[in-house]
Amino acid sequence: MIVDLPDTTTSKISKSLVKIREEGGAVALGRVLTLIIVTEQGEEEVAIEAANDASREHPMRVIVLSTEPGENGRTGRGARLDAQIRVGGDAGASEVILLRAYGAVASDEESLVTGLLLPDAPVVVWWPMHAPEDVSASSLGRIATRRITDSSSESNPVESLMARSRSYSPGDTDFAWTRLTLWRAQLAAALDQPPYEPVTDIEVSGASDSPSTLLLAAWLRHQLKVPVKYGLRSRANGSSGIHGVILTRDSGPIELVRDIPNVATLSEPNQPTHTLALPRRNLRDCLAEELRRLDPDVLYGEVITQGLVEMLETDTSVDADAS
């Protein structure tokens, strides 16, 4: 069911939610958190679809705050708030409140959502596209338990990742880190097999617009305490995302390479070569994983504030296009 509320207020939206609950049953029971999605108009549906899919694992209330493109979302129109409530089959296992804010109304994000938050439930804020430089200091970031960004969606992904490093606060996370889960699992499993030799050299390569490549290199550097050679290759000469990792030991290298989309090969000394499914994770999978934990991700904090800084300051960047 979809209910449109043009030119409305937060108070009227709350009353409509109560009415829907009384007419259709206690649809808000069992909700474990409030997810706030902050995006620009025209970009809402992709994020809503991912949230609806993730809600089947994490029943929640989804509040989508959509503003006009442009600085602070205050271009063109006068002050106005349009809303839409989606429940039932149109909202997965959640209830979706879509707020379209225009003009000066968009400047006070916290007041728009405060009256719609579930009582006594954690608040997670997700910026699918453009996020504030310091998310924890933003008006919505201050009320959130977890704050999710996606550096790969920014115009300069690597610089965006560095901004996250400079402004990191416990509770922050980024989908560039979440997309590493499958890579980290495969590499950890490979190192967990005999001969248990120390890694002496690390090489990581990926696309120039892949912040996940830098985070993977930083994670390996932080965990193994070995300098890393990392290279970023232009998209014209390779696929997107991470291309490969080589871990050198005395007995020979462990190579995990993704030459074609979604498929990687794992080569180890004295072992047959394995073909592995290693796809780029979609928004639904990344969001569902991040919502499984509402406490700060300590390892991510260490990697982005320590491992990444140490790697960029001391390790070797190579020209992957020339290799």
Side-chain angles (χ1 to χ4, degrees), residues 85-305:
I85 300 174
R86 304 180 188 181
V87 296
D90 296 294
S94 64
E95 51 190 0
V96 177
I97 305 169
L98 175 57
L99 306 176
R100 292 190 175 96
Y102 302 93
V105 172
S107 63
D108 193 355
E109 296 176 329
E110 183 177 353
S111 67
L112 288 175
V113 304
T114 299
L116 302 174
L117 302 177
L118 291 175
D120 303 319
V123 176
V124 179
V125 181
W126 173 31
W127 291 267
M129 298 294 290
H130 312 297
E133 185 168 338
D134 187 348
V135 292
S136 63
S138 65
S139 60
L140 293 178
R142 289 194 296 266
I143 66 173
T145 305
R146 294 293 304 276
R147 296 166 292 274
I148 304 172
T149 55
D150 190 352
S151 296
S152 65
S153 67
E154 300 282 357
S155 57
N156 189 329
V158 174
E159 177 52 40
S160 175
L161 186 66
M162 296 309 301
R164 303 285 164 252
S165 175
R166 292 189 294 268
S167 65
Y168 173 79
S169 180
D172 293 356
T173 193
D174 194 281
F175 279 170
W177 172 251
T178 320
R179 293 188 180 101
L180 294 180
T181 299
L182 300 181
W183 283 86
R184 291 167 54 210
Q186 292 293 345
L187 292 170
L191 290 175
D192 202 31
Q193 303 298 319
Y196 308 115
E197 297 171 333
V199 174
T200 58
D201 190 58
I202 302 172
E203 295 182 33
V204 179
S205 62
S208 57
D209 59 353
S210 169
S212 294
T213 300
L214 290 180
L215 277 182
L216 179 58
W219 172 69
L220 289 167
R221 182 156 189 337
H222 181 72
Q223 295 296 95
L224 300 176
K225 311 302 180 184
V226 176
V228 176
K229 297 177 183 176
Y230 58 95
L232 300 179
R233 177 177 299 165
S234 65
R235 288 286 294 273
N237 296 325
S239 61
S240 62
I242 302 167
H243 295 164
V245 179
I246 302 175
L247 305 178
T248 303
R249 301 188 294 186
D250 289 343
S251 60
I254 299 173
E255 299 186 39
L256 182 60
V257 180
R258 184 169 61 186
D259 288 325
I260 59 177
N262 303 326
V263 179
T265 56
L266 176 63
S267 303
E268 303 177 69
N270 305 316
Q271 295 288 336
T273 299
H274 299 281
T275 301
L276 308 171
L278 202 60
R280 180 179 172 86
R281 306 184 75 195
N282 58 34
L283 287 179
R284 184 268 173 209
D285 291 340
C286 290
L287 182 61
E289 178 177 326
E290 288 299 339
L291 295 179
R292 288 180 196 132
R293 59 179 306 161
L294 297 176
D295 58 318
D297 189 335
V298 176
L299 179 58
Y300 168 73
E302 292 176 354
V303 169
I304 198 169
T305 59

Side-chain angles (χ1 to χ4, degrees), residues 1 14 33 38 59 80 84 91 94 99 130 157 163 178 188 236 272 294 311:
M1 180 172 66
S14 296
L33 60 91
V38 186
R80 176 189 174 103
Q84 185 180 84
S94 64
L99 306 176
H130 312 297
T178 320
L294 297 176
M311 185 193 73

